[in-house]
Amino acid sequence: MSLLFSTATFNSCKTTQGNSRSAHHTTRGNHDRGRHHGKPDSPQSAAGNWATLDVELTDNDNPALYAELKTWLGTPYVYGGNDKGIGVDCSGMVQQVFLTVYGVPLERRSAKMMENNCTPIDKDQLTEGDLVFFNTSKRRPGITHVGIYLKDDNFVHTSSSKGVMVSNLNQKYWVKHYYCSGRPPKQK
């Protein structure tokens, strides 16, 4: 059953089972190293300041998710890190936030998160707490970056130059590098 899920997941993420070697290559050596970071911050809006997560929440929003993510903002990027006090990479931040907010353990590598922890969804089906995946590498195929979707096309991720920050899926860079979306289990 898990082989079937894995194949379906990769097919929806622009890959095929025959090309799963590419997806597995993204799990260690190049993990989230694309120099994609340092793109413009999310703009302020009538609903608040997305860059600082000082935004109006509705009854549909999870205040615990926003509160936890706010504590991570500005945490420096450290490849392989997963600690607010020392530094974190994209999948480390996602893993820690999901454990804290939802009580859900996720894989450590972004490609493995999609493969083993997520149900594939279309971009227009994104809801709070879903994961957005990107390929930010010019040399390596497959998933190389992950962020947590909030709302209004905003997501939190770890930038190698700015640390944990909020970006918008409609920014030119993220439109170009978007790979797929997935829905992990959200319990707790």
Side-chain angles (χ1 to χ4, degrees), residues 19-165:
N19 194 15
S20 64
R21 182 176 180 272
S22 298
H24 293 293
H25 266 168
T26 65
T27 62
R28 185 69 184 145
N30 73 324
H31 175 255
D32 311 324
R33 285 189 181 180
R35 297 298 171 212
H36 57 289
H37 315 293
K39 304 303 167 214
D41 292 327
S42 296
Q44 289 189 4
S45 71
N49 184 346
W50 277 103
T52 60
L53 288 181
D54 291 323
V55 296
E56 290 181 33
L57 299 182
T58 68
D59 291 340
N60 296 326
D61 297 321
N62 180 346
L65 177 62
Y66 284 81
E68 178 63 17
L69 287 170
K70 207 168 184 176
T71 69
W72 284 89
L73 289 178
T75 298
Y77 173 87
V78 172
Y79 176 73
N82 67 351
D83 187 303
K84 276 188 241 184
I86 298 171
V88 68
D89 62 16
C90 67
S91 59
M93 183 272 298
V94 169
Q95 183 187 49
Q96 294 300 313
V97 168
F98 262 75
L99 199 53
T100 300
V101 174
Y102 300 110
V104 175
L106 298 178
E107 295 279 352
R108 180 58 177 89
R109 303 288 180 218
S110 54
K112 289 292 186 182
M113 283 179 185
M114 184 62 209
E115 180 181 356
N116 297 327
N117 301 130
C118 292
T119 300
I121 59 170
D122 291 332
K123 193 176 188 181
D124 63 1
Q125 296 175 311
L126 284 166
T127 61
E128 177 185 275
D130 288 337
L131 301 183
V132 285
F133 297 92
F134 304 89
N135 179 293
T136 56
S137 174
K138 293 179 182 177
R139 295 178 295 234
R140 293 184 172 94
I143 294 169
T144 61
H145 190 64
V146 62
I148 301 172
Y149 184 81
L150 296 174
K151 63 180 180 178
D152 301 332
D153 295 322
N154 293 294
F155 67 102
V156 176
H157 65 108
T158 306
S159 157
S160 62
S161 63
K162 295 184 179 183
V164 178
M165 63 180 289

